Amino acid sequence: MSTFAVETRARSTRGPLPILAACVLWGTTGTASSLAPASAPAAAVGAAGLVVGGCLLFLTAGGTRAVLRTADWRLLLLGAVTVAGYVLAFYPAVARTGVAVGTTVALAAAPIVLGLRSRPLPTSAAVVGCTALVLGGGDARVDLVGVALALVAGLSYAVYSVVCAHLIGLGHPSRAVVGVVFGGASALTLPVLLVVGVGWVASPSGLAVTAHLAVFTTFAAYLLFARGLRHTGAAAATTLTLAEPAVAAVLGVVVLNERLPFVSWCGMGLLAVALVALARK
């Protein structure tokens, strides 16, 4: 095997693969949150996962004191605010406009903002493929408030991805950066959770959903995402996360015996080709 091939494989293992692994965990979010008690507000479900998961990230990360002491506090605050903003906007967006439209708008906004200039062809192909995959069934509904919230979530995701990538690029430990940013987001989100209500968390399904969102889709997923950001730019990373709807779709087919229309399968194929191109780069 040539040296170039070995180096390419090593870069993919360090960068794109951890991000794609995070997408696998994020792809379970919709299924998990749908199992929450009916009395749980959409924002509360996401907030509960972030509060617990953010605390876990902060408490288990080494070097957080050094990051708090040496990193630009304005960037750390911006990262924390946009992480909280993403969660508090994304879950209500999905509740109002449905998983299809909400997920597509939120996930496609960041690559469009960050990736079209640096990698226009694969980024455009990934966005088109994701849109065809999610909306191929033709049964999506559009709610203007829900779409606006999804846009807020997508732009928030773009901002905190850039912030984390920048701080990691300056030499700060990736796990410590994510721990500080998500720990701050957890503190910012806790009052919101207390206001909207936490009684539902005490139920068996509430505990199970909160634990899954905290441990898998927040703690583990963002550790993987942080590791990938050390070797992948924010633009490519946000485009790679368009794999999340594909994971959710495959889980629906395999686990729930759902059927995907032909347009959706074509979209998944186009998305896969685009993501491979980005990963190889």
Side-chain angles (χ1 to χ4, degrees):
M1 184 180 294
S2 68
T3 303
F4 174 77
V6 172
E7 291 177 352
T8 299
R9 177 174 294 182
R11 284 196 299 269
S12 297
T13 302
R14 293 194 301 264
L17 287 186
I19 293 174
L20 292 174
C23 291
V24 173
L25 297 176
W26 288 331
T28 66
T29 301
T31 302
S33 59
S34 68
L35 301 176
S39 60
V45 175
L50 175 58
V51 167
V52 179
C55 286
L56 287 174
L57 285 168
F58 181 76
L59 294 175
T60 59
T64 53
R65 290 185 179 180
V67 170
L68 286 168
R69 186 175 62 253
T70 60
D72 189 335
W73 66 269
R74 293 166 297 183
L75 289 178
L76 294 174
L77 179 60
L78 178 61
V81 169
T82 49
V83 167
Y86 172 80
V87 169
L88 296 177
F90 177 73
Y91 284 83
V94 169
R96 291 187 67 99
T97 198
V99 175
V101 174
T103 302
T104 301
V105 173
L107 292 183
I112 289 173
V113 171
L114 300 178
L116 281 179
R117 184 176 180 181
S118 59
R119 300 294 304 284
L121 183 58
T123 300
S124 299
V127 171
V128 172
C130 176
T131 303
L133 164 64
V134 178
L135 304 182
D139 56 352
R141 68 180 189 272
V142 176
D143 177 277
L144 292 181
V145 175
V147 170
L149 288 171
L151 283 173
V152 171
L155 295 177
S156 298
Y157 171 50
V159 171
Y160 76 71
S161 296
V162 171
V163 168
C164 290
H166 177 71
L167 291 172
I168 292 170
L170 292 177
H172 298 292
S174 58
R175 187 164 181 174
V177 168
V178 170
V180 170
V181 169
F182 276 77
S186 175
L188 292 174
T189 309
L190 179 58
V192 178
L193 178 60
L194 295 177
V195 169
V196 296
V198 296
W200 60 273
V201 177
S203 66
S205 60
L207 282 173
V209 168
T210 301
H212 179 87
L213 294 178
V215 175
F216 294 102
T217 66
T218 301
F219 177 73
Y222 280 101
L223 285 182
L224 290 166
F225 188 66
R227 181 178 179 182
L229 278 179
R230 182 167 289 281
H231 304 283
T232 306
T238 54
T239 304
L240 287 168
T241 55
L242 288 173
E244 179 186 339
V247 173
V250 170
L251 286 175
V253 171
V254 175
V255 178
L256 303 177
N257 295 319
E258 295 178 351
R259 298 185 63 184
L260 285 180
F262 178 72
V263 173
S264 294
W265 285 113
C266 291
M268 189 182 297
L270 178 60
L271 176 61
V273 171
L275 295 182
V276 167
L278 283 166
R280 290 179 64 84
K281 182 67 174 181

